[in-house]
Amino acid sequence: MTVATATGSQPGSALERSSGAGGGTLADVVETVLDKGVVIDAQVSVAIVGIQLVEINARIVIASVETYLRFAEAVDRLSITPKGAKGLPDMVGDAAGAATKGRTISGLGQAAREITGVVVDSLSDRSPERERSHWHRDEER
Amino acid sequence: MTNRQTPPAAEIGLFLYGIVPSDVEPTPDAEGIGSPPGEVLAIRQGDLAVLVSEVGLEEPIGRPADLTAYQRLLDSTAAIAPVLPVRFGTVVTGEDAVDDLLNAHHDRFAGALAELADHVQYTVQGRFDEEEFISGLLAQNPPAAALADQVRGRSEVECREERIRLGELIAQAVELRREAENRDLIDAVDRYATANAVRPPSHELDAVNVAFLVAADDEDAFIGAVEDFADRRRELIRMRLLGPLASYDFVSAHQLVE
């Protein structure tokens, strides 16, 4: 068994590798680090001046009518037929290939996309007010 | 030993990255958050140290580059020493606050670091190929196949009820299959891991999402087992392996909240 040591995958491997140390996409970083780690509670140390909890409040995927309709639409659009009588494979495009950045981000759910948007806004300095806004925790997690 | 005497100015805070054993020494090329990147320092107290960098309190935190810098620092630290990540965005007033933190929780942090010694995290993620999954389901589920026949070629207005019922069947099947795949993955690779943590799905087609704490001696065998698992499912699931990472999923996020 050969093992890839860097981002990417071995030829023919079914496993895509992404190193740590910031080697993944922004979506990977967001999903890996946010909402993780030791929380220093204000009761423990009053010296905390701020915890900006950049939070993905909809990381939990909740099936909804919207989801159902999207799946049904996929059946229609892809002409998905029972296995053995395959539909139009070219229409699924990147589904069979490696995850592209755009696809990965699109997979994070609506709230995550919004947050990514805020982060990008901050980067481009277009929205100084939003930069300072705190993102609040979603207590449903 | 870092021992800066100047009290931090009012508008400067310390951004905390992670808690490490006191013999960890940040290299000069270690870059913190901010622009330009802050210098990473270790504030030591007994056996422990906290990796920090100065940040201006007026500076926004949370740009993509900040998140990436935070992860890069923690992951590269984890490659050489155990590290307890501190939640992203934690900023304290100064070294006194860091000292208080380490004094108050010294034994707990030291114990957690001892458990993480010579371990790194890998996260295994997989996503169902939509067409493959649904066609497989329709082949095995006559009610779903019948609904699919009613839906095909008709607009949403014409068959909204049928579409919702079909979509619900698919969503339920994904959920069941996801539970099974997470279990199968853990069965297949957990003998090479010290601990595992199932992560919540981040997408409606998520097939697996599990973090594993892996000992240095077991890394190669673990990766090989994940490759084998991915190979067995290459038609159905696109599999990814993230790591080595700091042990983000094996630090109790609320261990200090009491």
Side-chain angles (χ1 to χ4, degrees), chain A residues 38, chain B residues 17-24 43 45-51 74 77-78 80-86 102 105-120 213 246-247 250-252 255:
Chain A
V38 174
Chain B
Y17 297 88
I19 299 158
V20 293
S22 61
D23 59 352
V24 171
I43 296 177
Q45 180 79 247
D47 300 335
L48 301 175
V50 184
L51 299 177
L74 289 173
T77 302
I80 55 163
V83 55
L84 290 177
V86 173
L102 290 181
H105 300 287
H106 182 281
D107 292 351
R108 198 162 2 173
F109 290 152
L113 284 175
E115 284 177 17
L116 295 178
D118 296 320
H119 283 76
V120 289
L213 189 65
S247 307
F250 300 96
V251 174
S252 169
Q255 66 190 160

Side-chain angles (χ1 to χ4, degrees), chain A residues 1-63:
Chain A
M1 172 74 53
T2 51
V3 169
T5 53
T7 300
S9 57
Q10 294 285 301
S13 170
L15 184 65
E16 184 195 343
R17 297 287 308 274
S18 182
S19 69
T25 64
L26 177 59
D28 288 335
V29 177
V30 167
E31 205 191 324
T32 299
V33 307
L34 287 186
D35 198 28
K36 301 294 178 188
V38 174
V39 172
I40 297 164
D41 191 76
Q43 291 171 320
V44 175
S45 170
V46 293
I48 291 182
V49 294
I51 300 181
Q52 295 193 14
L53 290 175
V54 187
E55 189 76 16
I56 302 177
N57 16 13
R59 262 235 306 264
I60 296 173
V61 176
I62 298 162

Side-chain angles (χ1 to χ4, degrees), chain B residues 24 38 48 79 81 97 100 112 149 210:
Chain B
V24 171
L48 301 175
D100 289 348
D149 285 338
V210 187

Side-chain angles (χ1 to χ4, degrees), chain A residues 29 37 58 92 126 131 134 137:
Chain A
V29 177
V92 286
R126 280 179 307 189
E131 284 175 14
H134 287 215
R137 305 199 55 216

Side-chain angles (χ1 to χ4, degrees), chain A residues 97-115:
Chain A
T100 64
K101 186 177 179 187
R103 195 172 167 89
T104 310
I105 286 176
S106 77
L108 274 173
Q110 185 60 38
R113 248 172 285 145
E114 284 168 7
I115 282 175

Side-chain angles (χ1 to χ4, degrees), chain B residues 138-183:
Chain B
L138 296 185
Q140 297 166 5
N141 189 322
L147 282 167
D149 285 338
Q150 296 173 42
V151 158
R152 251 182 233 115
R154 295 170 69 203
S155 73
E156 188 184 321
V157 181
E158 291 174 277
C159 59
R160 184 176 164 88
E161 282 300 307
E162 290 85 350
R163 280 175 177 250
I164 289 173
R165 289 200 333 256
L166 173 59
E168 189 173 10
L169 285 178
I170 295 170
Q172 287 168 349
V174 168
E175 215 168 296
L176 284 174
R177 185 65 182 264
R178 177 188 298 142
E179 285 172 20
E181 293 292 347
N182 274 333
R183 272 198 310 274

